[in-house]
Each structure stands twice: as structure tokens, then as C-alpha cells.
């Protein structure tokens, strides 16, 4: 039985929605006069303008952010509009039922917003184990038992409350329009739906929306999401409580219970996003601010850069075996230390320990320049899983004043746990799998994690998401990527390309990348990352090389010293980059 939302039926609800539509239509009518906007595929070069820049994984979402910038919105307004549009047109990862992190730099002030999911109040340490202590297959991945308490509704609302400039209702408009009037299903969405068909088919509520007539909508068809549009309208009118309280929260609880989950309406109402101090460090004359625990991303990036600096990495020839070897050894140490990390309340270490110069000196001294050290192998991990069904999404936004938001958000697996909340139209995440759900068992990304990241009620599960902002004088780089455990390694390589080797933004994003995460003990490399000669040299040093399809899909914008802004989109994914060009530029 589908839930009918009561508020849409009240006279007051109707009245508000008519008034809202009228003034929003009036605002939209004057927008094109304010400035010229360009949205282009970013290949082969980044697009440029000086009035602001947006990059995201979907053209319609980039358009949404640009529309809000053009209307006089700032970077926070545009980031929220882009994220909400992604919740409509990129349901694999864009979400209301998931969570994420944002690094926000307004003027000189840098903050990070943690809107990561938390474990429900009824979660327990061994909830994914059977009576013999063995992991129950897929229990932390499929269905609402895998879902953490969503952080996005309160998180995006909070980002706007603290930093937004335009009225809240206005930043929600582009997403409402996409959901209500429809959007074109692109090839990527069609393929993702097809790849996840088995998962989506398990839940009739989901199949009714996303597999009409038993199949995913074809690429090129127009998809309307009226239930999601209604929820977004309520969200635009009343903010987070429209989702985290009342009939929507009740629908979440009902759907979760029906399919064996423990998520409750009380969990949703109790959820709070948190502002946290970013992880900060300097490298090669740049200041870097990245995401703190409960994401491991900022610590891994900081530790890697600290080790490379000590090893004289930047003085070695670019693209040579020395650089790949040292980068791999740095990654191996940073990911080994990740084993200690978890929710800040239970983490056994944090940035102050792992980025302390004493510790970086100890780690750097262990690294041999001529040979690889074995990581202790725990158990084999299937690389195929990482490449087939995973999607996270990142957006990078800068406004004309240079204020920046880097925001990464996800449901964890593509379409999260597979369950779409009936009547509300959004997917619930399967983020609980980011906890160490069973001792020694690698998670979806092959990460072997420690007790610090064990399941516990109200705990935030450890993440790898790494939205990052770096600046050097007037230059600012805003970046991030999907990719699970590969997020920090992809991010740091693009950063190194810019801050050490002086690459232009698009070149920095395009260059092939490598990845190592301690366990499994393998050096993953994109097809063109290393020449055959370098590959042989690395194997001679003891690295086991494995070719992999892609390492991340970096989405970045940048302000150059002269004030020009660039937006780049990774050729690894069909996203879109756009800039605002003031009249006459
Ligand atoms: O928080 C994390 O680290 C993971 N849940 C991210 C998942 C992800 O990046 C999936 N996509 N590629």
C-alpha cells in the first residue's frame, strides 16, 4: 500500500504551493538577463569564465547549480541545488536517503560538514553475524537492515542555513522541476539500472518506479518522479523536518520494518549533522583542507603528502618507476593506519597522531626506495565487485567571489540497499557495510577494518570520501571523486599533478592513476598509467601489478591567480562542467 502524504491534501498545502510556484516562476523568468552561462562537455579542455563554476556527474545537475549562481546564489546555494538535482537524475548515488561530507571555504574560513549516516539506535555489534559468528551473506548490503540513518535531508538543509544566501525554497526549485516535469534518462542511468536489475527487482516498491513493465526505462526516454517531486516540494517549504519527521519518516520506518530493517522514525528525527574542524596541512606552498573523521579521506591524503615530502618524491622523474614505487609505499602505510580509524568517539587514532611529524618520520624511515614491502594478506578480494555496481557522486562549486564547496555524497552501493521508500520516491542507503561488520572480512571495497569501526548504535561508519579544497594565494582548487576506497588515492594524485607538477586542471584530471590500499597487497594501475618498462621496474621491486579499469572520476573546479575559473570533468565518466560568464566576457 502506497502512503499518501497528508500535507499535499490540505488547503494550506495547496495554497502555499501555488504561491511558491508563482514567485519562483517570476524569479526564473528574469534569470537569463543576468549573465551568460555556458555548459559544455569539458573535453578536451576545461571550460572557463570568472563568474563561478560548477562540476558534477550529470549535466542537469550542473545546470541546476549554474542556474542558482546566475540567480545571485553563492557556492552553498549552488552546491545544495546541484546535490538535490543529483538526487533526482542520478539516483544511483545522488540522494535524500544517504549521506556525505562537504568542505566549505567561504572567504578565509574553512569548515567541514559531516552529514554521514549513523547506525540506527537498534543496531548492534554483531547484527550481521549468524549464530556461529559468520557473516550473513549480503545482510549489510541488501535491504533496509543495511541502511544507516540518512544524513542528507538535515545535512543539505544545514549547509544552506549556515552559508546560503538565497531563500531555501528557491534552491530546491531546479530539483522539483526535474522530478515533476521529467528528465531524460541518459545511457549511464539506463546501464546502472540494468546492472542493478536483480537488486531492484527484489523490492516491489522499487520496481514499480524504476522497472516499469519489468525493465529499466530506455536511454533517451523522459522520466517523471511525481512522488519525489512532492517530497521535494515539502522539503522546499518546510526544510528537513518535512522528511525527518511526520509521514515521510513514518513511511521509512514502515518500509524498513516490512523488509526486516530496524530503522525507525525516531532515528530520523534524532539525526543531527555536525560541523567539524577540517583536517588541515600544507604541501608545496599550498594549504589543504580536507574531510576529518569519520572519513579517513583527509588523513590518508595528508599522510601520503607528508610521506612523499619526506622521501623527496617531487625531485624524482615524473612517470618513472621511483615515483610510482614511493607513491605506492606511501599509500600502503596510510591505508594500514586506516585500520585504526572509526567514528571519532571510538577511533584509536586521528589526524593529530597520524599526521604528527614524529609519526610521519617513523613511517618514512620504513620505506625502502628499491623494494616493496609485503602487506600482510588477509583474504582474497574480488576486484570485479568494485567496478560493477558502485556509485558515489561528487560536486565541486565556486561562486564569483571564490567561495568554494566540495561535496561528496552517496548511498554506498549503486541504488543503496535497493529499497525505495514507497510514497517518498527515494532510495535508502546500504552504508552499514562501511562498518567492520565481521572480524577480518573485507568490505565491498576490499578494505579490512578494525574494531574502532565496529557497529554500534548511533556510531558513524568510517568513510573514504574526500572532498578537498586547496589554495595558494588567489589560486583555489576544489575537488573530489567517487570510487570507494580509491577516493583518497585518486584525489591526492590530481592534487599532486597540480601543486607539484603544475598541470592545467583538465590535464591533472585526465592523467592515468594508480592505487594501493595495503590490503589486498596489489598495485592497481589504469591501463596507460605505467609504461611497460616502468611496469617491469616496479615488478622487479616486488610490486604485484594489476590493471584496473578506472580509479575514481574526479570532479574539480579551480580559480587561477588572475581570477579565471575553470571547471573540469573526468573523461572516465559522462559528467558536465560549466562556468558563469559575466556579460561581455
Ligand atoms: O563512504 C565511503 O567510503 C563509501 N560508502 C563510498 C562509496 C563509493 O564511493 C561508491 N562509489 N563509487
Amino acid at each position: 500500500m502506497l502512503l499518501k502524504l497528508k500535507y499535499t491534501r490540505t488547503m494550506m498545502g495547496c495554497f502555499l504551493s501555488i504561491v511558491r510556484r508563482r514567485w519562483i516562476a517570476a524569479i526564473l523568468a528574469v534569470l537569463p538577463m543576468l549573465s551568460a552561462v555556458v555548459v559544455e562537455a569539458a573535453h578536451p579542455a576545461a571550460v572557463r569564465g570568472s563568474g563561478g563554476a560548477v562540476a558534477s556527474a550529470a549535466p542537469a545537475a550542473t545546470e541546476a547549480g549554474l542556474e542558482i549562481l546566475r540567480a545571485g546564489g553563492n557556492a552553498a546555494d549552488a552546491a545544495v541545488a546541484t546535490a538535490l538535482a543529483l538526487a533526482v537524475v542520478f539516483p544511483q548515488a545522488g540522494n535524500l536517503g544517504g549521506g556525505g561530507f562537504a568542505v566549505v571555504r567561504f572567504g578565509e574560513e574553512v569548515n567541514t560538514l559531516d552529514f554521514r549516516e549513523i547506525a540506527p539506535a537498534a543496531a548492534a555489534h554483531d547484527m550481521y553475524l549468524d549464530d556461529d559468528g559468520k557473516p550473513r551473506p549480503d545482510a549489510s548490503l541488501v535491504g533496509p537492515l543495511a541502511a544507516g540513518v540518512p544524513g542528507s535531508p538535515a545535512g543539505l538543509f544545514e549547509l544552506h542555513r549556515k552559508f546560503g544566501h538565497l531563500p531555501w525554497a528557491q534552491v530546491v526549485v531546479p530539483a522539483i522541476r526535474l522530478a515533476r516535469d521529467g528528465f531524460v534518462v541518459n545511457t549511464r542511468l539506463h546501464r546502472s539500472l540494468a546492472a542493478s536489475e536483480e537488486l531492484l527487482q527484489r523490492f516491489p516498491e522499487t520496481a514499480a518506479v524504476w522497472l516499469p513493465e519489468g525493465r529499466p526505462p530506455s536511454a533517451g526516454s523522459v522520466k517523471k518522479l511525481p512522488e519525489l517531486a512532492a517530497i521535494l516540494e515539502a522539503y522546499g517549504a518546510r526544510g528537513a523536518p518535512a522528511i525527518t519527521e511526520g509521514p515521510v519518516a513514518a513511511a521509512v520506518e514502515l518500509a524498513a520494518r516490512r523488509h526486516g530493517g530496524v530503522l525507525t522514525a525516531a532515528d530520523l528525527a534524532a539525526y543531527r549533522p555536525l560541523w567539524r574542524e577540517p583536517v588541515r596541512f600544507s604541501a608545496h606552498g599550498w594549504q589543504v583542507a580536507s574531510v576529518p573523521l569519520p572519513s579517513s579521506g583527509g588523513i590518508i591524503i595528508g599522510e601520503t603528502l607528508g610521506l612523499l615530502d619526506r622521501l623527496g618524491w617531487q625531485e624524482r622523474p615524473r612517470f618513472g618507476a621511483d615515483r610510482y614505487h614511493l607513491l605506492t609505499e606511501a599509500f600502503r602505510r596510510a591505508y594500514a593506519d586506516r585500520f585504526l580509524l572509526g567514528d571519532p568517539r571510538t577511533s584509536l587514532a586521528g589526524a593529530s597522531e597520524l599526521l604528527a611529524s614524529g609519526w610521519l618520520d617513523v613511517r618514512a624511515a620504513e620505506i625502502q626506495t628499491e623494494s616493496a614491502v609485503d602487506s600482510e594478506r588477509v583474504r582474497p578480494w574480488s576486484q570485479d565487485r568494485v567496478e560493477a555496481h558502485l556509485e558515489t557522486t561528487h560536486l565541486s562549486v565556486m561562486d564569483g567571489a571564490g567561495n568554494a564547496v566540495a561535496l561528496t555524497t552517496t548511498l554506498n552501493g549503486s541504488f543503496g540497499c535497493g529499497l525505495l521508500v514507497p510514497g517518498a520516491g527515494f532510495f535508502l542507503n546500504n552504508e552499514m557495510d562501511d562498518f567492520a561488520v565481521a572480524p577480518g572480512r573485507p568490505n565491498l571495497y576490499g578494505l579490512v577494518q578494525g574494531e574502532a569501526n565496529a557497529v554500534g548504535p548511533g556510531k558513524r561508519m568510517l568513510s573514504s570520501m574526500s572532498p578537498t579544497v586547496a589554495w595558494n594565494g588567489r589560486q583555489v582548487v576544489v575537488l573530489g571523486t567517487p570510487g570507494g576506497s580509491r577516493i583518497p588515492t585518486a584525489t591526492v594524485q590530481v592534487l599532486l599533478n597540480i601543486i607539484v607538477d603544475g598541470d592545467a586542471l583538465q590535464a591533472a584530471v585526465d592523467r592515468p592513476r594508480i592505487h594501493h590500499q595495503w590490503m589486498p597487497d596489489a598495485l592497481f594501475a589504469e591501463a596507460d598509467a605505467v609504461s611497460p618498462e616502468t611496469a617491469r621496474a616496479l615488478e622487479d621491486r616486488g610490486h604485484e601489478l594489476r590493471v584496473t579499469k578506472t580509479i575514481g572520476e574526479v570532479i574539480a573546479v579551480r580559480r587561477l591567480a588572475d581570477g579565471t575559473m575553470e571547471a573540469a570533468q573526468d573523461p572516465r565518466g559522462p559528467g558536465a562542467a560549466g562556468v558563469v560568464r559575466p556579460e561581455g566576457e
Side-chain angles (χ1 to χ4, degrees):
M1 187 191 70
L2 295 190
L3 177 102
K4 296 274 183 235
L5 293 172
K6 289 196 190 98
Y7 76 91
T8 52
R9 304 187 144 206
T10 64
M11 300 252 310
M12 183 55 99
C14 290
F15 174 71
L16 282 177
S17 101
I18 289 164
V19 170
R20 214 170 39 247
R21 274 192 206 137
R22 287 223 173 114
W23 70 256
I24 284 162
I27 289 167
L28 293 179
V30 301
L31 292 186
M33 287 153 44
L34 298 178
S35 61
V37 177
V38 179
V39 178
E40 296 164 12
H43 312 139
V47 283
R48 290 184 160 203
S50 67
V54 180
S56 85
T62 295
E63 287 274 13
L66 290 170
E67 175 184 321
I68 291 296
L69 285 181
R70 195 174 49 174
N74 65 19
D77 297 320
V80 171
T82 309
L84 291 175
L86 286 165
V88 179
V89 303
F90 198 89
Q92 305 96 304
N95 66 80
L96 288 174
F101 298 91
V103 177
V104 183
R105 183 172 183 255
F106 266 56
E108 296 297 308
E109 193 192 331
V110 196
N111 287 279
T112 53
L113 180 63
D114 164 1
F115 58 104
R116 179 70 159 166
E117 298 91 328
I118 60 173
H125 188 280
D126 294 338
M127 65 189 282
Y128 299 111
L129 304 183
D130 63 19
D131 292 344
D132 300 329
K134 300 225 173 63
R136 286 189 283 126
D138 285 343
S140 62
L141 285 168
V142 176
L145 192 64
V149 184
S152 294
L156 297 176
F157 191 56
E158 173 60 18
L159 174 55
H160 175 270
R161 188 200 62 77
K162 191 164 162 77
F163 287 106
H165 169 64
L166 295 179
W168 167 251
Q170 190 177 348
V171 303
V172 187
V173 167
I176 297 173
R177 210 174 44 219
L178 288 163
R180 189 189 54 215
D181 302 343
F183 61 92
V184 177
V185 172
N186 62 16
T187 312
R188 181 183 197 160
L189 176 54
H190 172 78
R191 286 201 186 132
S192 295
L193 287 163
S196 297
E197 209 171 312
E198 202 189 311
L199 172 71
L200 307 179
Q201 205 67 263
R202 291 195 196 196
F203 305 101
E205 302 91 327
T206 307
V209 173
W210 283 109
L211 302 173
E213 297 153 34
R215 291 190 305 280
S218 51
S221 63
V222 172
K223 183 74 186 161
K224 294 184 183 176
L225 296 167
E227 289 174 339
L228 186 57
I231 296 299
L232 286 165
E233 284 209 27
Y235 189 40
R238 297 195 286 118
I243 299 176
T244 59
E245 296 170 17
V248 180
V252 170
E253 176 170 329
L254 193 68
R257 203 179 317 131
R258 188 181 303 138
H259 294 284
V262 294
L263 206 53
T264 64
D267 285 328
L268 267 78
Y271 180 88
R272 296 286 176 273
L274 297 170
W275 289 100
R276 296 186 188 272
E277 279 298 305
V279 174
R280 293 181 74 143
F281 41 88
S282 55
H284 307 282
W286 289 71
Q287 297 299 310
V288 184
S290 192
V291 64
L293 291 175
S295 179
S296 58
I299 293 175
I300 293 175
I301 292 172
E303 193 168 344
T304 302
L305 290 175
L307 292 178
L308 294 183
D309 194 40
R310 281 163 176 73
L311 297 164
W313 184 85
Q314 64 279 10
E315 277 110 47
R316 318 263 170 166
R318 201 171 185 194
F319 312 124
D322 279 356
R323 272 207 181 181
Y324 288 117
H325 168 72
L326 293 176
L327 187 57
T328 303
E329 292 304 308
F331 286 158
R332 191 196 304 277
R333 267 69 187 187
Y335 277 84
D337 288 338
R338 188 187 188 282
F339 189 78
L340 303 173
L341 305 181
D343 182 306
R345 290 177 302 168
T346 53
S347 192
L348 299 177
S352 50
E353 290 83 16
L354 299 178
L355 301 187
S357 42
W359 179 243
L360 294 173
D361 291 344
V362 169
R363 279 294 203 204
E366 290 168 22
I367 295 176
Q368 300 168 17
T369 47
E370 288 307 318
S371 64
V373 172
D374 281 349
S375 298
E376 189 194 330
R377 192 177 288 271
V378 174
R379 58 183 270 178
W381 155 75
S382 156
Q383 182 194 340
D384 297 344
R385 296 191 86 181
V386 168
E387 289 180 350
H389 284 308
L390 307 176
E391 310 251 20
T392 284
T393 196
H394 177 84
L395 57 100
S396 291
V397 175
M398 208 181 298
D399 62 27
N403 300 317
V405 176
L407 187 152
T408 313
T409 184
T410 190
L411 292 163
N412 192 28
S414 209
F415 307 105
C417 76
L419 176 63
L420 186 108
V421 180
F426 60 83
F427 282 98
L428 288 174
N429 65 83
N430 60 352
E431 218 78 61
M432 293 295 280
D433 192 66
D434 276 349
F435 280 118
V437 298
R441 193 201 79 154
N443 76 356
L444 198 52
Y445 306 97
L447 288 167
V448 179
Q449 317 193 81
E451 184 59 26
N453 187 31
V455 185
K459 274 183 75 177
R460 283 163 149 88
M461 55 297 274
L462 186 61
S463 173
S464 302
M465 289 188 267
S466 309
T468 296
V469 180
W471 62 97
N472 184 354
R474 281 202 82 203
Q475 290 190 73
V476 184
V477 177
V478 188
L479 78 169
T481 175
S485 59
R486 300 164 176 212
I487 291 173
T489 52
T491 307
V492 78
Q493 285 171 86
V494 174
L495 212 49
L496 286 166
N497 288 340
I498 294 170
I499 69 178
V500 173
D501 294 305
D503 273 353
L505 186 68
Q506 190 66 54
V509 166
D510 290 352
R511 285 198 200 291
R513 302 189 267 262
I514 63 163
H515 172 78
H516 195 293
Q517 61 180 52
W518 176 54
M519 305 272 187
D521 189 355
L523 169 51
F524 296 95
E526 289 178 339
D528 304 327
V530 291
S531 65
E533 189 189 20
T534 304
R536 269 195 302 281
L538 288 166
E539 277 162 359
D540 287 348
R541 291 180 197 201
H543 296 284
E544 184 197 321
L545 242 98
R546 290 194 208 165
V547 174
T548 188
K549 228 156 76 193
T550 53
I551 294 169
E553 184 185 318
V554 173
I555 287 171
V557 303
R558 174 185 192 172
R559 183 173 70 181
L560 301 168
D562 68 0
T564 308
M565 292 175 188
E566 301 181 307
Q569 170 61 32
D570 201 322
R572 294 163 184 82
V579 289
V580 177
R581 289 181 182 155
E583 293 291 345
E585 190 171 88

